[in-house]
Amino acid sequence: EAGVVQSPRYKIIEKKQPVAFWCNPISGHNTLYWYRQNLGQGPELLIRYENEEAVDDSQLPKDRFSAERLKGVDSTLKIQPAELGDSAVYLCASSLDVERGGTDTQYFGPGTRLTVL
Amino acid sequence: SQQGEEDPQALSIQEGENATMNCSYKTSINNLQWYRQNSGRGLVHLILIRSNEREKHSGRLRVTLDTSKKSSSLLITASRAADTASYFCATDAFPAGGFKTIFGAGTRLFVKA
């Protein structure tokens, strides 16, 4: 079974440029998460989707960040315009909720390492 | 702010020794999970312990949970060089604003061959 797929793996851009990250969760997983991980820190949740609905986006900087999960499958996270402080690893994870026979376990993709110059 | 706090921040041991990492949190939780992250990789789930459980085992891993002290520990027995990684605890809780998974800053474990 394929795991969570993310692309690109690496991205280098100049500040003020836009950037987008893509995530394809594990087939059948209804919950999708986007995290940001700064160097030496744990992941910090940006947004959580239940199917196509964003149920927690309280940590998403909405002035420059946006996300979508059309059709409740894959998802895109966008930053426009990027700032120097956005340099981090952006992780996507998915899970199958308990009501559908899953657990609270989240399965992570390899992440996208963003460098803003 | 992150709820989980791991201790120690870094740990260096010899192969074959046991490694113990601790995690403390602040609010009531539904469950607590431990994840491992190898350098440059995504996180891999290790073990989940629910709030009504006190101890859980999985292979060389032993996790304890003390909800009265709001703390958990991860013990890796007979460590191997391949166990070198960062270890994170993550709590599923219901702070103001609804359900949330919160990760700590992690413990960096280095196992010397």
Side-chain angles (χ1 to χ4, degrees), chain A residues 30 32 34 46-58 60 62 66-69 75:
Chain A
N30 59 309
L32 184 146
W34 281 104
L46 293 174
I47 190 168
R48 177 169 66 96
Y49 282 94
E50 297 283 347
N51 301 304
E52 61 274 4
E53 181 183 1
V55 296
D56 183 358
D57 63 356
S58 57
L60 190 72
K62 297 181 183 62
S66 65
E68 60 182 13
R69 192 186 184 197
S75 175

Side-chain angles (χ1 to χ4, degrees), chain A residues 38-110:
Chain A
N38 293 309
L39 187 64
Q41 297 295 315
E44 181 178 8
L45 181 70
L46 293 174
I47 190 168
R48 177 169 66 96
Y49 282 94
E50 297 283 347
N51 301 304
E52 61 274 4
E53 181 183 1
V55 296
D56 183 358
D57 63 356
S58 57
Q59 298 293 99
L60 190 72
K62 297 181 183 62
D63 57 336
R64 298 182 300 105
F65 285 66
S66 65
E68 60 182 13
R69 192 186 184 197
L70 301 176
K71 300 181 182 178
V73 182
D74 55 355
S75 175
T76 302
L77 177 68
K78 297 179 182 178
I79 308 175
Q80 182 171 13
E83 298 179 350
L84 295 177
D86 296 332
S87 293
V89 175
Y90 290 82
L91 295 164
C92 179
S94 70
S95 67
L96 181 66
D97 66 32
V98 176
E99 292 178 356
R100 300 190 183 197
T103 68
D104 301 323
T105 299
Q106 296 179 34
Y107 297 85
F108 283 80

